[in-house]
Amino acid sequence: MEQSKESPLVNISASEPQQSYEGLWPTNVKRENGVISIGGVLTTDIVRTYGTPVYVIDEEDMRMRARRWKNAMDDAFSSLAGADVFYAGKAFLSVGVAKWMREEGLGIDTCSLAELVTATKAGYTGEMLGLHGNNKSIEEITYALELGVKHFVIDSLAELDLVARIAQENNMIANVMLRVTTGVHAGGHEYISTAHEDQKFGLSVTTGVARLAIERVLDASSLRLVGLHSHIGSQILNINAFKEAADVVMGLRSQVLHDLNYDIREIDFGGGYAIRYTDIDEVPPTPEEYAHELAKIVRESICQTGASAPHVSIEPGRSIAGPSCVTLYSVGTIKDVAIADEKHRRYVSIDGGMSDNIRPALYGSNYTALRCNRASSEEKEVTRIVGKHCESGDIVVHDLALDKDVQAGDILAVPATGAYGRSMASNYNMLPRPGVIAAKDGQVRWLVRCENVNDLLNLDVDA
Ligand SMILES: *Cc1c(COP(=O)(O)O)cnc(C)c1O
């Protein structure tokens, strides 16, 4: 984490809620009489009952985003061999959220035992679950086999052998997808395309390891090769990155048909679809645009090679969970710090920070915020929102034009915190992790209750 680098004073305020899909706020967020509400519930009422910090998910909004992916993929691939959408559970998973995904017709992409168990508690059977990970444990593999997961996404030759062995010992056949690396890496605005693969995930197409793995699966009596998988990164805005990777995967598939006379039935294009965190972020392509482009690539490839149409799946996480959630914080201490030329920056401390949102510290991500208990004022002040942790990099919002009359006790709402917020939360400084609330039609309820000091001490055998 870069520290104390002099950054210019930037004055950007967050846009007010607009009830639009592309906006920064969930679609059922409004400001009325000065107070922001979520799913028809005033944030002031939520905070009075549930305290801060707290994550609040607009249930209707999250379901709508899931449904929109599902419908877009169904429409784009209806004239091919169909499509599935697997919600990437690592973005945020609870039994309640898994139930919403099941009701909206999505599968779940898991990568640990607890994620698998959470999905089953929401009523999922194996058919709509996938198991990921670059170091699956014997316990995870065994449990996934018992569940009959739709597929294991295999990440290495060693893992291929391990899954084959465990399946054989249990007299079972494991359906596998092979995660291949295409040389395309993407994230944010940029993507790079290289021939080498210096990263921990996947089986390289260019070096021939992917091809070797395909042959090895075909030789293993306890494995069935159902598909190829490619996930190129996260927060990707550039649709060309997906195109380039998809071309490589489709090329490998037709080579295998040609050389080995084996028709690989499925292709999974992974996740990574970008969302907006601040008003200066570009508006990303819609699910319909992504789905249309993917279908176009698949159609072109099968026309050129004469291969059959594959069944296609994708695994969006962030683009379903991220925009549906806001974090509510209470303002504590406020401090004006001189920086240069008689200018100052206002530091507003809130009651959470890097323990409930690690993304600014981990990735340098930027967020924004609005005061939600009172109307926003005309006059703004150059502000930085910081957490309460013992780290100077504990920043929630780097640069913000915030109401000049902000005071202790005000409530701030930070949008787009639904993905990789609670799921990456920690107990740093022994802060209890905030709970997650679902708001819908004027009602709120816990999805995951907040931790308290006893929860933390329960694990301490000397307490
Ligand atoms: C992280 C991940 C996803 C989801 O990524 P998002 O950026 O949240 O859409 C999907 N598939 C795999 C294999 C992943 O590692």
Side-chain angles (χ1 to χ4, degrees):
M1 180 71 206
E2 270 177 279
Q3 276 183 14
S4 61
K5 194 175 87 182
E6 285 279 315
S7 54
L9 288 174
V10 194
N11 231 0
I12 330 160
S13 46
S15 58
E16 287 286 319
Q18 292 154 349
Q19 297 86 49
S20 82
Y21 181 84
E22 293 80 14
L24 282 188
W25 301 89
T27 41
N28 301 296
V29 171
K30 291 192 177 104
R31 191 194 288 275
E32 281 167 321
N33 302 321
V35 181
I36 289 181
S37 64
I38 305 172
V41 190
L42 294 175
T43 49
T44 43
D45 288 344
I46 296 175
V47 168
R48 202 170 304 119
T49 313
Y50 297 94
T52 53
V54 66
Y55 304 96
V56 186
I57 299 180
D58 174 349
E59 175 177 341
E60 229 358 278
D61 184 89
M62 186 162 173
R63 283 176 178 265
M64 174 270 290
R65 286 171 203 277
R67 200 180 310 138
R68 202 161 153 177
W69 271 118
K70 173 74 181 138
N71 291 341
M73 291 297 286
D74 281 350
D75 287 351
F77 288 89
S78 60
S79 62
L80 293 161
D84 278 317
V85 180
F86 286 77
Y87 169 62
K90 68 178 179 185
F92 173 66
L93 197 62
S94 73
V95 174
V97 161
K99 279 186 183 158
W100 301 346
M101 294 303 126
R102 189 168 58 76
E103 286 164 10
E104 300 301 340
L106 281 75
I108 295 196
D109 151 30
T110 68
C111 72
S112 69
L113 184 65
E115 286 185 358
L116 279 172
V117 173
T118 301
T120 62
K121 290 209 183 287
Y124 275 95
T125 54
E127 294 111 80
M128 281 303 276
L129 299 176
L131 181 64
H132 267 281
N134 65 305
N135 192 18
K136 301 172 186 71
S137 70
I138 291 173
E139 192 187 16
E140 286 162 346
I141 295 167
T142 309
Y143 184 71
L145 273 171
E146 283 166 8
L147 274 182
V149 292
K150 185 159 188 285
H151 51 246
F152 290 80
V153 181
I154 299 285
D155 194 74
S156 64
L157 292 172
E159 189 179 79
L160 190 162
D161 295 339
L162 181 65
V163 173
R165 200 194 78 212
I166 297 172
Q168 183 138 46
E169 285 166 4
N170 290 282
N171 284 319
M172 289 171 130
I173 292 180
N175 287 331
V176 303
M177 282 195 164
L178 293 172
R179 177 164 176 178
V180 301
T181 47
T182 55
V184 181
H185 301 277
H189 295 252
E190 299 299 328
Y191 77 97
I192 52 165
S193 196
T194 58
H196 61 82
E197 293 292 348
D198 193 4
Q199 55 131 335
K200 75 170 180 174
F201 292 113
L203 299 148
S204 164
V205 175
T206 34
T207 64
V209 181
R211 174 62 184 264
L212 184 69
I214 290 169
E215 291 174 21
R216 212 188 277 193
V217 174
L218 294 177
D219 282 343
S221 57
S222 60
L223 301 180
R224 183 183 297 121
L225 179 61
V226 296
L228 298 177
H229 182 285
S230 155
H231 172 77
I232 55 174
S234 60
Q235 189 58 5
I236 303 163
L237 275 161
N238 194 328
I239 226 161
N240 289 323
F242 288 103
K243 281 193 193 170
E244 211 172 306
D247 271 337
V248 176
V249 177
M250 291 302 293
L252 177 63
R253 178 176 182 264
S254 45
Q255 250 175 38
V256 170
L257 180 64
H258 179 263
D259 299 351
L260 307 172
N261 196 30
Y262 188 85
D263 188 11
I264 299 176
R265 278 189 289 119
E266 299 184 26
I267 302 285
D268 191 308
F269 290 119
Y273 312 99
I275 65 165
R276 296 176 78 213
Y277 287 95
T278 69
D279 286 295
I280 54 177
D281 289 343
E282 221 175 286
V283 176
T286 61
E288 293 75 19
E289 285 165 338
Y290 280 123
H292 177 79
E293 285 300 325
L294 289 175
K296 205 161 101 187
I297 293 158
V298 169
R299 194 169 283 117
E300 278 164 11
S301 167
I302 59 178
C303 284
Q304 280 163 16
T305 60
S308 65
H311 182 83
V312 169
S313 48
I314 56 164
E315 304 169 327
R318 185 191 315 267
S319 59
I320 292 175
S324 309
C325 178
V326 305
T327 308
L328 302 179
Y329 298 104
S330 294
V331 170
T333 54
I334 298 171
K335 188 195 269 187
D336 288 333
V337 178
I339 47 177
D341 305 332
E342 296 175 28
K343 292 202 190 85
H344 70 269
R345 195 194 305 278
R346 176 165 288 179
Y347 279 76
V348 169
S349 299
I350 46 81
D351 50 356
M354 63 192 292
S355 56
D356 60 74
N357 187 358
I358 191 66
R359 295 190 65 260
L362 193 57
Y363 309 118
S365 318
N366 217 345
Y367 284 83
T368 191
L370 275 181
R371 178 168 65 186
C372 51
N373 54 306
R374 293 192 275 150
S376 69
S377 54
E378 288 293 301
E379 262 196 291
K380 308 283 182 189
E381 180 76 36
V382 175
T383 303
R384 182 161 284 173
I385 311 290
V386 295
K388 61 180 274 141
H389 294 281
C390 305
E391 288 273 342
S392 48
D394 174 27
I395 295 167
V396 180
V397 181
H398 262 269
D399 299 298
L400 179 66
L402 187 66
D403 309 301
K404 194 173 183 140
D405 59 349
V406 66
Q407 62 184 45
D410 275 344
I411 305 163
L412 295 185
V414 175
T417 56
Y420 310 107
R422 181 59 176 79
S423 71
M424 283 189 165
S426 76
N427 291 118
Y428 182 43
N429 289 128
M430 288 188 86
L431 287 201
R433 287 174 300 174
V436 185
I437 284 174
K440 187 191 177 197
D441 298 336
Q443 308 276 322
V444 285
R445 67 176 188 95
W446 282 128
L447 289 173
V448 179
R449 73 164 172 81
C450 61
E451 284 177 332
N452 56 40
V453 173
N454 280 337
D455 289 322
L456 304 188
L457 288 178
N458 272 343
L459 298 173
D460 185 331
V461 292
D462 293 309

